[in-house]
Amino acid sequence: MRHFVQGFFILLLVFFISSTNGMADDWSSQIVEHDVDPGDTDSGIVKSDARNVAGYMKNIGENGRLLVFFGGAQSFRQTPNIPFIADALEHHYRVVMIDYVYNPPGTLLCDQSNDPCFSDYRNAKIFGGAPMKGLNVSTPEGLVARTASMLRYLHRKWPAEHWDQYLDQGQPRWANIAVSGFSQGAGLAAFFAKTTTVARVILLSSPWDHYQNTNSVASWLSSPSATPADRWWGMYSAREANAPWMQKTYAALGISPDHIRLVTDAAQCKPGSGLYLPNHWAVAELGCTPRTTNGSFMEKPLWDLMLGDGRGRDEDSAP
């Protein structure tokens, strides 16, 4: 097992909670965090980009709803200072960030292909055991299996923390779990919520699954959804290159217009090494998300609305 220097959640909250709501000086003592190598949770997981992270704030989130989060590009997840995650902690969620192998991206394999390329791609990454040309994910390395392995591992290692409250016979109780993701991770969360009933789904800047040769969006987007429409939320930047496609894909997903949040502020970062889409990253990443002169995140009100109450008290997210 590897550990973050100072702790990932503590690092987040230094920038977020302590500066936005005046939390007492001992706030860091309330953080419970576990940084876990994916291979430690299941010997069948041999390929990973980074690590899993789980945690909560004892004083407000010990018994909160679980938020399972799938990240984006490898460079993003190796330094994943995601203010959205800190907001989830403040909203009474427990959070588990699940690592997976990012490459190859679906846009590379499916850019000129016809349906059902994107569907096959996302199905393979989520459930594993469904190889397609250019992508082969074993069943233990699918996101569903990775999540289950992580929750079982947390329960074995720290039984007093009751991670088993999110399990039913060793499998995640998805109907009581919120799923979210950024970029590729959001597209994976969306596909999963189509196939499986979840408590809430929150999409950050994805999916934009479309085919250049037909100028059309992937058909899976408009397929029947196991997760009811009023539990879907989405957010993207009006300034990012794929904004026109996300306008179409979010509509195809059936997300209500009043559940879509549009970022209009410019990114507070510039293109650089490993960072070529600043306005894409501005939706959630620490260095790019716009901030006011006093340091608060300008997009926090949008995150607040999408997250709702992690205790499940808001009607539209109740399972």
Side-chain angles (χ1 to χ4, degrees):
M1 182 182 298
R2 292 170 290 180
H3 297 274
F4 285 97
V5 176
Q6 297 182 340
F8 169 58
F9 290 132
I10 291 177
L11 179 62
L12 274 181
L13 293 171
V14 164
F15 290 99
F16 189 85
I17 293 178
S18 62
S19 63
T20 59
N21 65 10
M23 183 175 273
D25 291 339
D26 65 347
W27 60 267
S28 60
S29 66
Q30 298 296 327
I31 302 298
V32 175
E33 176 183 339
H34 305 299
D35 172 28
V36 179
D37 190 303
D40 289 346
T41 71
D42 186 328
S43 60
I45 300 175
V46 297
K47 294 182 290 186
S48 294
D49 285 350
R51 57 265 179 181
N52 298 336
V53 186
Y56 60 93
M57 294 179 65
K58 289 186 291 187
N59 60 333
I60 63 174
E62 189 167 0
N63 297 309
R65 173 171 283 163
L66 180 66
L67 176 71
V68 174
F69 188 87
F70 307 136
Q74 179 180 358
S75 58
F76 184 87
R77 286 180 291 132
Q78 286 181 332
T79 55
N81 299 321
I82 307 172
F84 172 80
I85 296 298
D87 203 27
L89 295 175
E90 188 182 28
H91 280 254
H92 301 269
Y93 284 93
R94 285 193 181 197
V95 176
V96 174
M97 300 175 66
I98 301 297
D99 179 67
Y100 62 98
V101 177
Y102 173 84
N103 285 320
T107 50
L108 178 63
L109 295 184
C110 300
D111 184 47
Q112 297 293 333
S113 300
N114 294 314
D115 262 345
C117 184
F118 275 109
S119 177
D120 291 345
Y121 174 84
R122 298 202 182 279
N123 184 70
K125 284 211 166 182
I126 293 167
F127 298 105
M132 60 178 290
K133 185 177 180 180
L135 180 66
N136 191 352
V137 181
S138 69
T139 299
E141 292 181 328
L143 279 169
V144 168
R146 286 176 182 263
T147 303
S149 297
M150 177 64 170
L151 289 173
R152 292 193 296 264
Y153 177 88
L154 291 169
H155 176 53
R156 291 196 305 270
K157 295 288 288 186
W158 298 280
E161 294 179 9
H162 304 294
W163 292 95
D164 59 325
Q165 67 183 296
Y166 308 113
L167 290 167
D168 183 9
Q169 297 183 345
Q171 296 301 313
R173 298 175 59 212
W174 290 111
N176 297 103
I177 295 173
V179 296
S180 182
F182 170 77
S183 196
Q184 183 183 133
L188 294 169
F191 188 92
F192 180 66
K194 280 280 190 173
T195 67
T196 304
T197 303
V198 298
R200 200 176 188 95
V201 55
I202 304 169
L203 311 178
L204 303 175
S205 269
S206 190
W208 57 68
D209 295 11
H210 65 279
Y211 300 103
Q212 294 287 357
N213 59 335
T214 58
N215 196 35
S216 61
V217 299
S219 61
W220 75 262
L221 295 158
S222 54
S223 66
S225 176
T227 300
D230 61 358
R231 302 183 193 178
W232 286 78
W233 294 80
M235 180 176 178
Y236 63 94
S237 172
R239 297 170 180 260
E240 56 184 305
N242 283 296
W245 282 113
M246 279 182 281
Q247 184 179 20
K248 294 178 180 180
T249 59
Y250 282 27
L253 286 167
I255 305 177
S256 173
D258 63 351
H259 279 209
I260 297 173
R261 297 293 176 264
L262 194 63
V263 176
T264 58
D265 307 297
Q268 292 188 345
C269 62
K270 301 295 182 182
S273 177
L275 176 62
Y276 55 93
L277 298 172
N279 286 305
H280 179 52
W281 287 39
V283 172
E285 200 271 340
L286 181 63
C288 295
T289 301
R291 302 176 75 167
T292 65
T293 54
N294 67 3
S296 60
F297 292 99
M298 296 169 68
E299 314 314 329
K300 185 179 184 301
L302 306 185
W303 303 331
D304 290 345
L305 287 166
M306 293 193 300
L307 283 162
D309 191 328
R311 294 164 293 189
R313 295 178 182 177
D314 47 338
E315 292 182 357
D316 67 338
S317 67

